Amino acid sequence: TACPIQGHGGREGTHPGQNTSPSQGTSSGTRTPDPPESRTWPLIVFKMAGADGDDSLYPIAVLIDELRNEDVQLRLNSIKKLSTIALALGVERTRTELLPFLTDTIYDEDEVLLALAEQLGNFTMLVGGPEYVHCLLPPLESLATVEETVVRDKAVESLRKISHEHSPVDLEVHFEPLVKRLASGDWFTSRTSACGLFSVCYPRVSSTVKAEIRQHFRTLCSDDTPMVRRAAASKLGEFAKVLELEYVKSDIISLFTALASDEQDSVRLLAVEACVSIATLLPQEDLEALVMPTLRQAAEDKSWRVRYMVADKFSELQKAVGPEITKNDLVPAFQNLLKDCEAEVRAAAANKVKEFCENLPEDSRETIIMSHILPCVKELVSDTNQHVKSALASVIMGLSTILGKDNTIEHLLPLFLAQLKDECPEVRLNIISNLDCVNEVIGIRQLSQSLLPAIVELAEDAKWRVRLAIIEYMPLLAGQLGVEFFDEKLNSLCMAWLVDHVYAIREAATCNLMKLVEKFGAEWAQNTIVPKVLGMANDPNYLHRMTTLFCINALSEACGQDITTKQMLPVVLKMSNDQVANVRFNVAKSLQKIGPVLDSNALQTEVKPVLEKLATDQDMDVKYFAQEAISVLALA
């Protein structure tokens, strides 16, 4: 039998801008699709064992056939198993038949092309190793020119991957010409792809070729199409890292300056990213003249997106330019970003407050923070935008370790208190989550006097969602404050939540108890929690009696067999006689839940009779859950 691979039927046409190497298309390098009847596809004839009845290779034939199936999903599945097909065909037929076929069929759904681009990056050994890796370039070149960005990006990623497997000679003979073709393609799609390939081939080619590569990159940096300039700007820093220092100064700086003053803000903001890489490459004495004018301009750019990028990269910029320039230039720039008119910029800058302060030169750190940064931080605490306040709350506690005990108590504690009472739950969460670093600086006593009253106040807030938020932080808080302090100050709160009038609070309080037991251990639970929980079994309110059962469900595993059998089980069994059906069917559910913790003797002698009695209850739900428990616990 023979299984020919031919073009999949009825799917013609190409993406606009799809081009391949000129040898495969028209004189301009853009391929024009042939009409279906005139297209001749390469045939892969897969010979299979016939005479001896060996059909083990039949699945391969099916995969090959599916490459041209009408169904997109089948084609996609087949592409994902391309390595299996290549292994079965062997390296030579993969090179001479499968790859030309794949190159010629790059007219497909984007998801199929994406899978193909990914597969080809791992194909080196399947075409015969590094010696033949250049055979993978034609299909990847075609994929690097399609319209869909994710496909192009994946093709570029695969090209970068296989570029390292080319020998220096092959790189110049095969890879570098591909980069040039992409860089001078008619459509912007190929030119954007070229931007990602310069840095991988530059270090390993001759100086003549290096000069050509630099020229191509210069051309793309001033391309008419913003998308191409954007791609070039995004790779500027990466390209600068592989260049010799003299060319960084002569070529890259002028490109950086041009891109940083581009008319499109999407290009300018990418130049800010490149600034970090460029600044790390230059000697300190050149930074002031070559980089700082452009950086100052970016920090005051008319577009908030560019200022946002400066704020976002601020810590990296600070490390790159060193302490002197930080003191003279970056401190005022950072102040301006913290006071920016756009909330997004303020939030990005607020996020960097701790890092920026940590990286300030030690001799002047405290002075700079107290006189320049802290006044801005105080304003941000009462900012109108919740994202800004939240970003600040996530890092502000870290300032206490930098400023020390006295400054924390005098200047930072009032800010923490204000944030603990903020209406935005995320701000409160961020403060509570980081209490441990303040605790280290000022000690537990000071912390309890200043911040805990605010936490207790929130725990009793009239809005149930506020109470809920505090419950969720309680295990975190308990871990930071320790068991003694917790018992003294917060235990009664946790128990009060169990009888809250809102079910969501009671439910969260139950989960909270389980987490506390996991943190503090079974002995603590036995002495502190279990007696109070079991006491609620006699509460006149049936909802509170049900909470007892929910707590027992949650605590049984954490407390272990001994406490469950001796203390909790008798209470559950006693509640099976409750007047309220809801309580009785929850008894059945509880017995089912704690059953696996109990030993077989307790199950047979104590649990089984109660469940059998409940299984004959007048209430349908009680009956149902009792029978389910008997079945699950295998007591029938």
Side-chain angles (χ1 to χ4, degrees):
T1 20
C3 178
I5 284 210
Q6 296 173 313
H8 52 74
R11 304 194 43 79
E12 299 308 326
T14 178
H15 295 280
Q18 177 163 323
N19 64 9
T20 58
S21 53
S23 62
Q24 292 172 311
T26 61
S27 55
S28 68
T30 305
R31 184 196 295 174
T32 324
D34 306 319
E37 64 280 3
S38 72
R39 167 115 44 101
T40 55
W41 297 87
L43 284 174
I44 298 183
V45 181
F46 188 83
K47 294 191 174 113
M48 293 166 58
D52 58 356
D54 176 12
D55 60 356
S56 62
L57 296 176
Y58 178 71
I60 303 297
V62 172
L63 284 175
I64 292 175
D65 204 39
E66 283 176 358
L67 279 175
R68 58 189 174 87
N69 197 291
E70 292 263 338
D71 185 336
V72 175
Q73 196 54 50
L74 286 177
R75 292 202 304 279
L76 183 60
N77 291 343
S78 195
I79 287 284
K80 284 181 175 171
K81 292 172 183 161
L82 211 50
S83 53
T84 313
I85 297 174
L87 272 171
L89 288 171
V91 292
E92 194 169 330
R93 297 186 69 197
T94 296
R95 290 197 302 270
T96 56
E97 297 172 27
L98 181 61
L99 288 177
F101 166 70
L102 291 171
T103 307
D104 210 31
T105 51
I106 295 177
Y107 303 90
D108 211 329
E109 303 291 334
D110 292 329
E111 56 187 325
V112 177
L113 297 182
L114 180 64
L116 177 59
E118 186 172 4
Q119 289 286 318
L120 290 174
N122 304 315
F123 242 57
T124 307
M125 298 321 292
L126 299 170
V127 293
E131 190 185 342
Y132 295 101
V133 73
H134 60 83
C135 299
L136 297 170
L137 297 180
L140 283 170
E141 181 176 354
S142 292
L143 288 164
T145 64
V146 301
E147 195 175 11
E148 177 51 54
T149 312
V150 287
V151 177
R152 288 202 311 273
D153 289 350
K154 187 56 76 177
V156 169
E157 190 185 311
S158 290
L159 281 166
R160 287 168 68 99
K161 196 174 183 179
I162 64 171
S163 71
H164 303 300
E165 290 161 346
H166 282 69
S167 66
V169 176
D170 281 347
L171 206 62
E172 287 202 20
V173 175
H174 299 288
F175 197 88
E176 200 267 337
L178 169 146
V179 178
K180 283 186 192 167
R181 284 197 298 275
L182 289 174
S184 48
D186 289 347
W187 285 85
F188 80 88
T189 52
S190 70
R191 301 200 299 277
T192 55
S193 293
C195 295
L197 299 174
F198 291 115
S199 61
V200 288
C201 59
Y202 187 88
R204 295 169 60 212
V205 292
S206 64
S207 52
T208 323
V209 178
K210 281 183 175 179
E212 288 175 24
I213 290 176
R214 289 196 302 275
Q215 182 52 50
H216 277 296
F217 192 77
R218 271 198 297 275
T219 309
L220 292 179
C221 282
S222 53
D223 195 276
D224 292 339
T225 315
M227 281 81 87
V228 179
R229 298 201 301 278
R230 201 155 60 222
S234 71
K235 297 296 175 187
L236 183 65
E238 183 187 285
F239 189 48
K241 284 179 184 171
V242 298
L243 255 62
E244 299 79 0
L245 184 59
E246 58 185 293
Y247 297 119
V248 172
K249 289 184 185 178
S250 62
D251 290 15
I252 294 291
I253 294 296
S254 57
L255 296 177
F256 166 61
T257 310
L259 290 168
S261 47
D262 193 275
E263 63 190 28
Q264 297 276 335
D265 64 353
S266 59
V267 177
R268 299 200 300 276
L269 66 89
L270 289 166
V272 172
E273 254 185 276
C275 182
V276 178
S277 305
I278 295 166
T280 51
L281 298 171
L282 292 171
Q284 196 67 31
E285 61 271 15
D286 292 332
L287 283 175
E288 183 56 55
L290 299 178
V291 174
M292 286 317 294
T294 311
L295 184 55
R296 283 187 206 107
Q297 173 192 318
E300 294 168 3
D301 196 279
K302 62 180 184 288
S303 163
W304 71 267
R305 293 166 68 199
V306 179
R307 301 196 304 276
Y308 172 88
M309 186 57 89
V310 174
D312 193 48
K313 299 284 169 193
F314 216 84
S315 304
E316 293 160 57
L317 288 166
Q318 182 188 7
K319 285 174 189 164
V321 300
E324 276 313 302
I325 293 177
T326 295
K327 272 197 286 191
N328 303 334
D329 276 289
L330 294 195
V331 171
F334 193 58
Q335 281 178 282
N336 290 338
L337 291 169
L338 288 170
K339 295 174 181 174
D340 197 276
C341 57
E342 286 292 337
E344 283 85 350
V345 179
R346 295 199 301 278
N351 245 323
K352 301 290 172 188
V353 164
K354 181 192 167 198
E355 260 184 276
F356 180 74
C357 293
E358 272 176 341
N359 296 329
L360 286 168
E362 263 187 62
D363 56 343
S364 52
R365 184 186 296 162
E366 193 175 324
T367 317
I368 293 173
I369 296 173
M370 297 306 290
S371 52
H372 298 289
I373 307 299
L374 203 60
C376 301
V377 168
K378 284 178 179 171
E379 284 176 35
L380 291 181
V381 166
S382 51
D383 196 277
T384 50
N385 185 289
Q386 69 177 50
H387 298 294
V388 176
K389 292 188 290 190
S390 178
L392 181 68
S394 66
V395 297
I396 190 172
M397 310 294 267
L399 290 180
S400 53
T401 47
I402 302 169
L403 289 175
K405 185 172 180 176
D406 295 340
N407 282 329
T408 298
I409 292 170
E410 189 181 340
H411 297 285
L412 294 179
L413 271 183
L415 303 183
F416 301 158
L417 271 173
Q419 287 175 305
L420 260 181
K421 293 177 181 175
D422 195 278
E423 75 234 7
C424 170
E426 213 169 300
V427 175
R428 300 195 299 269
L429 167 62
N430 285 341
I431 291 295
I432 288 175
S433 307
N434 295 294
L435 275 179
D436 53 339
C437 48
V438 182
N439 187 5
E440 283 169 28
V441 177
I442 65 172
I444 197 77
R445 282 294 135 210
Q446 182 71 44
L447 189 68
S448 65
Q449 285 164 17
S450 53
L451 295 185
L452 273 176
I455 292 172
V456 172
E457 196 180 313
L458 288 172
E460 294 165 347
D461 196 278
K463 297 190 186 81
W464 70 269
R465 288 180 195 281
V466 176
R467 300 200 297 280
L468 186 63
I470 289 291
I471 296 176
E472 284 161 4
Y473 314 144
M474 203 44 81
L476 183 75
L477 210 53
Q480 292 176 354
L481 302 176
V483 64
E484 287 171 27
F485 191 84
F486 179 83
D487 281 347
E488 185 189 331
K489 303 281 182 187
L490 299 174
N491 196 338
S492 54
L493 263 183
C494 291
M495 300 315 295
W497 283 324
L498 289 172
V499 292
D500 196 279
H501 62 277
V502 177
Y503 173 71
I505 301 291
R506 298 197 298 277
E507 186 184 34
T510 306
C511 294
N512 171 49
L513 283 188
M514 183 177 70
K515 288 175 187 166
L516 290 173
V517 173
E518 284 167 6
K519 212 172 266 295
F520 292 150
E523 193 182 331
W524 173 81
Q526 188 176 5
N527 299 331
T528 317
I529 297 290
V530 174
K532 292 178 182 174
V533 166
L534 299 182
M536 287 163 56
N538 302 316
D539 196 290
N541 186 331
Y542 84 96
L543 293 171
H544 298 168
R545 298 202 294 280
M546 275 165 59
T547 304
T548 301
L549 294 170
F550 299 149
C551 288
I552 288 171
N553 294 349
L555 296 175
S556 58
E557 205 172 319
C559 289
Q561 191 182 72
D562 193 46
I563 297 174
T564 304
T565 309
K566 289 179 181 166
Q567 290 181 259
M568 297 184 192
L569 181 61
V571 173
V572 179
L573 298 175
K574 185 182 169 193
M575 291 171 79
S576 67
N577 299 316
D578 201 280
Q579 298 296 307
V580 180
N582 284 32
V583 176
R584 295 200 301 280
F585 80 63
N586 272 295
V587 166
K589 287 166 83 173
S590 286
L591 290 172
Q592 182 182 325
K593 175 83 175 133
I594 67 172
V597 181
L598 306 170
D599 61 26
S600 56
N601 180 40
L603 281 172
Q604 289 297 333
T605 57
E606 299 181 61
V607 174
K608 188 178 177 181
V610 169
L611 284 175
E612 283 172 346
K613 187 183 84 178
L614 291 173
T616 58
D617 197 278
Q618 293 171 337
D619 187 276
M620 280 172 61
D621 291 325
V622 179
K623 257 189 207 173
Y624 170 78
F625 286 111
Q627 284 161 356
E628 189 184 64
I630 289 170
S631 161
V632 169
L633 298 172
L635 295 175

